[in-house]
Amino acid sequence: MPEPTSSNGHVSPFIELDRGDWAALAPRMAAPLTQTEIVELRGLGDALDLREVDEVYLPLSRLLSLYAEGAQQLHDVTSTFLGTRSQPTPFIIGVAGSVAVGKSTVARLLRELLTRWEGTPRVELVTTDGFLYPNAELQRRGLMERKGFPESYDRRALLRFVSRVKAGEPEVQAPFYSHLAYDIVPDAEITVHSPDVLIVEGLNVLQPAPSGRSLAVSDLFDFSIYVDARTTDIARWYEERFLSLQRGAFSNPLSYFHRFASLTEQEARDRASSIWKSINEPNLVQNILPTRARANLVLRKGANHAVHSVLLRKN
């Protein structure tokens, strides 16, 4: 295989495989998911189907299971060398990418597929939404219009959470975020119970440590994935998703966005475009996209929302 190069002629740290070559690496697993399960897993606007599961995500799940098994073997070797019998720690996977790019679907799908491999039966998923500051705190800090930017998260709490899971604590709690209320739910939490694999999904999970701090949550990841697409495509997907929500979830009187339910289609498109240009696109360009090069693997999507190539970091 020729040495991969970037568009500016520099040697790339990634090996790029088109979907056909990547699919050829797929292991054998009869019907890992049914069509009904796929429909339940995919988010609004995602084009996920059985073929893409077989050609893209099944090989990825196998690669991840092999990495997890390798980490277990390294732990055993280290324990033998030190003469100790410590329990293995969870293998932690980070999944990053823009709003509306489909990273939540990727994370949910990998959770389901990884549980089907012998070495990783217990897989749990946590999104970083639960580590957003409550709306009242965001308003106090003047950050409501920057919700989703790195500073809108309690990064210390997220780092403590992942550190405790990585340390092997039997039960670790995370705050619960309601997308209906668009806020943290007081006195509600998610409990993670000694998983073999923990998937952490969020916009900014690959961010380096803030100035003055020595550790970032990404430093605790054993493997990281970035879901990538052209910005113009993501903007279109965001608008389409906004319209779908406006016709559906926003109609619920309890929804934070219920005020948008009565908009005409054109008004809804204008509102979606405004939110994208003022919040989501700047966050993508300034904070999320620059972390792509930190990932171990990049899934590149085409305009049809399907993955067309995979970039794997050379070790």
Side-chain angles (χ1 to χ4, degrees):
M1 179 180 294
E3 192 75 6
T5 58
S6 63
S7 59
N8 59 12
H10 294 154
V11 174
S12 168
F14 294 96
I15 297 170
E16 182 169 2
L17 301 168
D18 66 29
R19 179 160 161 169
D21 290 338
W22 177 257
L25 304 174
R28 295 186 178 274
M29 181 190 286
L33 293 173
T34 66
Q35 184 61 44
T36 299
E37 288 173 317
I38 290 174
V39 170
E40 292 173 346
L41 288 170
R42 68 187 177 199
L44 285 174
D46 283 347
L48 185 67
D49 56 22
L50 284 169
R51 181 177 177 183
E52 185 158 31
V53 170
D54 288 342
E55 293 182 352
V56 176
Y57 296 102
L58 186 55
L60 176 54
S61 72
R62 183 52 180 157
L63 177 66
L64 291 170
S65 72
L66 290 172
Y67 268 78
E69 291 171 12
Q72 172 65 57
Q73 292 168 6
L74 179 60
H75 170 83
D76 293 343
V77 168
T78 304
S79 295
T80 299
F81 176 76
L82 295 174
T84 63
R85 287 192 172 186
S86 60
Q87 290 295 317
T89 59
F91 187 84
I92 301 183
I93 301 168
V95 179
S98 171
V99 167
V101 79
K103 66 186 179 304
S104 297
T105 298
V106 171
R108 290 192 297 266
L109 180 57
L110 289 176
R111 177 187 59 191
E112 294 304 315
L113 290 174
L114 281 167
T115 61
R116 287 157 166 78
W117 295 110
E118 184 177 350
T120 54
R122 298 193 310 275
V123 184
E124 300 206 38
L125 167 63
V126 170
T127 73
T128 58
D129 293 340
F131 295 92
L132 285 160
Y133 287 114
N135 287 352
E137 179 63 18
L138 291 174
Q139 290 168 349
R140 188 186 72 80
R141 298 185 181 208
L143 292 174
M144 273 302 287
E145 296 304 312
R146 292 179 67 81
K147 194 168 184 177
F149 281 68
E151 62 268 28
S152 66
Y153 292 88
D154 187 342
R155 286 175 281 185
R156 284 191 175 91
L158 175 59
L159 181 59
R160 285 196 300 270
F161 168 80
V162 178
S163 296
R164 290 176 63 195
V165 175
K166 190 67 175 173
E169 291 192 23
E171 291 189 354
V172 185
Q173 288 73 38
F176 178 77
Y177 184 85
S178 167
H179 287 275
L180 183 67
Y182 195 58
D183 203 356
I184 302 296
V185 179
D187 302 320
E189 56 190 17
I190 298 169
T191 302
V192 171
H193 302 273
S194 300
D196 297 306
V197 176
L198 174 68
I199 301 173
V200 181
E201 177 258 308
L203 299 171
N204 298 293
V205 295
L206 296 183
Q207 285 281 318
S211 178
R213 298 187 199 172
S214 59
L215 192 66
V217 69
S218 58
D219 294 324
L220 300 175
F221 294 160
D222 296 287
F223 197 94
S224 56
I225 298 165
Y226 186 95
V227 186
D228 192 28
R230 291 182 182 276
T231 302
T232 51
D233 289 331
I234 304 174
R236 176 170 50 83
W237 298 339
Y238 176 78
E239 181 177 304
E240 291 169 353
R241 189 178 76 171
F242 187 93
L243 263 66
S244 295
L245 290 170
Q246 192 247 350
R247 293 187 293 263
F250 293 174
S251 62
N252 187 331
L254 298 178
S255 171
Y256 178 86
F257 296 103
H258 181 62
R259 62 190 182 277
F260 296 148
S262 60
L263 297 178
T264 66
E265 180 175 332
Q266 188 56 53
E267 288 172 338
R269 289 187 182 279
D270 292 342
R271 174 64 68 172
S273 178
S274 175
I275 294 172
W276 173 262
K277 290 177 181 177
S278 64
I279 299 174
N280 294 318
E281 185 173 28
N283 194 22
L284 171 59
V285 173
Q286 297 168 20
N287 301 305
I288 303 169
L289 190 56
T291 69
R292 179 178 58 189
R294 294 169 56 83
N296 296 107
L297 182 140
V298 178
L299 295 172
R300 281 189 170 163
K301 290 189 170 188
N304 62 351
H305 227 304
V307 174
H308 65 73
S309 62
V310 177
L311 282 73
L312 178 64
R313 182 176 291 279
K314 295 180 284 187
N315 291 326

